[in-house]
Amino acid sequence: MDATTVTQTAPEAVNYFRYLLDISYLIAAALFILGLKRMSSPVTARSGVVWAGWGMVLATLVTFLAPQSLGLQHAQLGTNLLLIIAAAGTGGALAWVSGKRVAMTDMPQMIALYNGMGGGAAAAIAAVELYSGEATSHGPAVAVLAVVGAFIGAVSFSGSLIAFGKLQGLIKKSFRFTGQQIINLLVLAGILVLGAGLVAGQLAGTPVVTAFFVLALVLGVTMTLPIGGADMPVVISLYNALTGLAVAFEGFVLDNAAMIIAGTVVGSAGTLLTQLMARAMNRSLGNVLFAGFGESSSAAAGTAVTGTQKSIEASDAGVAMAFAQKVIIVPGYGMAVAQAQHKVWEMSQLLIDRGVNVKFAIHPVAGRMPGHMNVLLAEAGVPYDIIADLDEINAEFETADVALIIGANDVVNPVARNDKSSPIYGMPILNADKAKNVIVIKRGQGQGFSGIENALFYLDNARMLYGDGQKAAAALIAAIKSVS
Amino acid sequence: MIDGILALYIFMLAAFTGYEVISRVPVILHTPLMSGSNFVHGIVLVGAMVALFRAESTLGQVIGTLGVFLAAGNAVGGYVVTERMLEMFKSSGNKAKSGGHH
């Protein structure tokens, strides 16, 4: 497009700026892929994000040469340069401060927010190109990609903002009503009609483009509102993949190889990650998007659990662990809410110093998204090599003297294994009940997140240590110290 | 323009690359990796910059500015939180030199 006009007027002036831009984008794309590869192992992960970061810096800096390399010539270039510096500066600064300040417990919604911004940016690119008519004047392929990218980006933008609002506690209701799917389908139909009209050239102009974007933004909202908080990680991951795809599509429109490669890599990696997360949570993607969970929890309560809960004092529990050979700690999100992870690690270090074999067993949904609990434990200083996931640790519970449950509930409920009438039947659980002794730190005698009675608490080998997670851990530390 | 069929090749190879890179990632890294891939699509910043450079109408400039603002938030925020999370992952071996909490 712009390149052809240049070659027509100036005979074969070699555009070194264009070479510089292309080579830099190639290097950036390579750094992104290598960075992601390194991020998939805990040993190299930190360097991976730094590599990818340098790729981003390089690609951003050379893009300031875009007017020269793309042969742009118009009166607004100077103004636009100032706008770019101002917008990137404020957006970057706000994100920097918020990213540095956010608590590790709030990480999932922060990822959703940043992801939504990326989707919004992809939609904005498409909007600029669609409003100017540029996107629909280079043949049907470019037009289709521009429109589809605009749609995906806008849905990812508004959907991610809703996901953020839900996890942040700003939106508390689920907004379900009958006929919801039909309304979504009608909105989708409207988007398809307008989009097809734009591509075919039958529809054009500012009102049509605006209506298209409004409908896409509405669909993101109405799709995401009915989804429950527990399923939100899968949705965030899906929107992450979709943003990648939108970025790739707009990369085609702008003829930008770095965006095509990075966007597509994230699109496919994000899709796989979404599947892995859904599987880890025992949910299918279709279930997450089109069906509720836990909304009618009182309807199916499973077989009633009988027996009594037997309590234990912190001093006795501490001594039991101090003289154990092997202790497996099962943390749940309740531990993070009580901010007890530092105390729990301090307690673990005392046990390790006494020669006790201590391990942490992490259920995929222990945090608010798969892998979140690992981040929270890492923050407290727990080394990752004593943290095991479900598949690694489940066979080991039989050899453990003590399984210490703190802030976890449904993920250690044996009814998931043996009561077919229970709503959580079939969910993979940590077999903490197979340990010789089970100590459960719990605030009171309530039920879990799903409202299902936990049969583990009534077993003969289980003892309840009632109290706040942080105080209970402190009491255990005192008890262990008393026998040292 | 990148040729139509060439673009499809790039698309296909990049898709396989993304799949392969992630396929054996352990669960413990799911959250940071999602955050890391979130950072990588922050490359949308260069597209937003180009789109704003090209904008000649006021409407285009307004939307383009919004796009650059959002994209910069994606790139910078994605980097900061990913780096913060991954920086904390330590093994028992390198625990000693980092200090830790007491």
Side-chain angles (χ1 to χ4, degrees):
Chain A
M1 28 189 165
D2 301 294
T4 49
T5 46
V6 170
T7 43
Q8 274 163 9
T9 50
E12 293 306 315
V14 182
N15 188 341
Y16 291 106
F17 288 111
R18 180 80 214 205
Y19 281 132
L20 182 63
L21 206 70
D22 285 341
I23 293 291
S24 302
Y25 284 169
L26 182 71
I27 295 170
L31 284 171
F32 289 152
I33 293 169
L34 288 169
L36 277 176
K37 180 72 202 162
R38 294 181 76 82
M39 272 186 249
S40 52
S41 155
V43 185
T44 55
R46 167 79 204 286
S47 68
V49 69
V50 174
W51 286 32
W54 283 116
M56 192 69 75
V57 169
L58 174 68
T60 308
L61 287 181
V62 296
T63 306
F64 280 103
L65 299 173
Q68 290 85 344
S69 56
L70 300 176
L72 299 182
Q73 279 167 350
H74 59 81
Q76 298 298 320
L77 273 181
T79 316
N80 290 354
L81 177 63
L82 291 178
L83 287 173
I84 286 173
I85 293 170
T90 47
L94 285 174
W96 179 275
V97 172
S98 61
K100 283 285 180 195
R101 282 191 186 163
V102 60
M104 286 297 154
T105 41
D106 294 340
M107 212 43 101
Q109 56 262 47
M110 218 55 201
I111 297 173
L113 184 63
Y114 296 140
N115 174 58
M117 293 176 88
I125 294 170
V128 171
E129 304 294 309
L130 283 170
Y131 278 124
S132 70
E134 188 72 25
T136 44
S137 61
H138 294 282
V142 172
V144 167
L145 289 170
V147 167
V148 174
F151 165 58
I152 300 175
V155 167
S156 174
F157 173 66
S158 59
S160 296
L161 290 187
I162 297 296
F164 168 80
K166 285 201 150 199
L167 288 180
Q168 188 72 17
L170 301 173
I171 304 168
K172 294 206 170 67
K173 283 167 70 182
S174 275
F175 299 98
R176 291 166 173 282
F177 53 88
T178 45
Q180 203 156 21
Q181 304 292 1
I182 293 164
I183 291 176
N184 285 354
L185 278 177
L186 286 175
V187 175
L188 183 63
I191 293 167
L192 285 176
V193 168
L194 293 179
L198 284 169
V199 170
Q202 300 294 315
L203 296 171
T206 307
V208 178
V209 177
T210 306
F212 173 81
F213 276 106
V214 168
L215 285 183
L217 291 171
V218 166
L219 185 64
V221 173
T222 56
M223 256 177 67
T224 319
L225 272 178
I227 298 169
D231 282 334
M232 220 32 106
V234 179
V235 177
I236 296 172
S237 181
L238 177 70
Y239 285 143
N240 184 41
L242 286 179
T243 301
L245 212 55
V247 170
F249 287 174
E250 298 313 322
F252 283 111
V253 176
L254 294 175
D255 201 9
N256 186 313
M259 284 171 73
I260 299 174
I261 295 172
T264 309
V265 166
V266 173
S268 75
T271 306
L272 178 60
L273 202 55
T274 308
Q275 287 170 340
L276 290 175
M277 280 192 178
R279 204 179 304 151
M281 297 168 69
N282 199 32
R283 306 276 284 139
S284 80
L285 201 51
N287 254 332
V288 170
L289 290 177
F290 304 115
F293 178 70
E295 303 294 320
S296 55
S297 56
S298 54
T303 311
V305 179
T306 53
T308 51
Q309 298 186 2
K310 297 161 280 290
S311 68
I312 188 171
E313 292 301 317
S315 50
D316 296 334
V319 170
M321 286 195 290
F323 291 100
Q325 290 197 319
K326 184 173 191 172
V327 173
I328 299 178
I329 300 170
V330 181
Y333 193 63
M335 179 193 73
V337 172
Q339 284 296 315
Q341 57 266 45
H342 291 97
K343 287 276 176 221
V344 169
W345 173 229
E346 193 184 336
M347 180 199 79
S348 309
Q349 282 173 306
L350 286 174
L351 292 173
I352 291 168
D353 290 345
R354 288 182 56 89
V356 181
N357 179 358
V358 178
K359 284 195 176 167
F360 287 80
I362 310 289
H363 191 275
V365 296
R368 295 188 93 170
M369 61 168 61
H372 188 205
M373 183 53 70
N374 301 81
V375 173
L376 296 171
L377 289 177
E379 187 191 19
V382 183
Y384 60 77
D385 46 337
I386 66 167
I387 303 176
D389 65 26
L390 189 134
D391 295 333
E392 295 166 340
I393 198 89
N394 249 352
E396 287 193 38
F397 277 106
E398 286 170 31
T399 63
D401 301 295
V402 177
L404 178 70
I405 320 287
I406 172 161
N409 193 336
D410 294 331
V411 298
V412 289
N413 191 344
V415 300
R417 239 181 15 233
N418 49 33
D419 179 7
K420 283 195 174 139
S421 66
S422 171
I424 60 168
Y425 179 75
M427 180 176 92
I429 58 157
L430 290 162
N431 296 331
D433 55 316
K434 305 224 165 138
K436 287 173 197 127
N437 300 286
V438 182
I439 298 169
V440 183
I441 298 178
K442 201 164 176 303
R443 193 177 281 278
Q445 301 196 355
Q447 291 163 336
F449 189 64
S450 63
I452 299 158
E453 195 72 67
N454 195 334
L456 173 71
F457 303 163
Y458 298 89
L459 293 179
D460 287 338
N461 58 341
R463 295 289 179 275
M464 309 299 289
L465 177 54
Y466 293 114
D468 168 75
Q470 202 174 145
K471 287 192 185 123
L476 287 174
I477 290 170
I480 295 164
K481 278 186 177 158
S482 72
V483 295
S484 303
Chain B
M1 285 299 291
I2 298 172
D3 231 341
I5 194 72
L6 191 61
L8 281 179
Y9 272 109
I10 295 176
F11 189 73
M12 178 194 75
L13 292 172
F16 279 117
T17 305
Y19 194 91
E20 281 303 315
V21 161
I22 301 293
S23 58
R24 270 177 292 278
V25 62
V27 178
I28 68 163
L29 284 173
H30 274 185
T31 295
L33 199 67
M34 183 162 128
S35 179
S37 61
N38 175 42
F39 161 63
V40 167
H41 68 51
I43 189 68
V44 71
L45 176 58
V46 304
M49 287 169 70
V50 170
L52 180 48
F53 266 131
R54 297 210 318 204
E56 292 180 63
S57 68
T58 309
L59 180 65
Q61 286 175 314
V62 170
I63 300 172
T65 305
L66 180 68
V68 172
F69 172 83
L70 292 172
N74 181 186
V76 175
Y79 182 85
V80 169
V81 297
T82 309
E83 204 266 351
R84 266 186 71 198
M85 282 192 272
L86 290 177
E87 197 251 339
M88 300 182 314
F89 278 83
K90 305 242 159 58
S91 74
S92 306
N94 59 21
K95 198 85 233 163
K97 61 184 173 190
S98 71
H101 292 272
H102 282 286

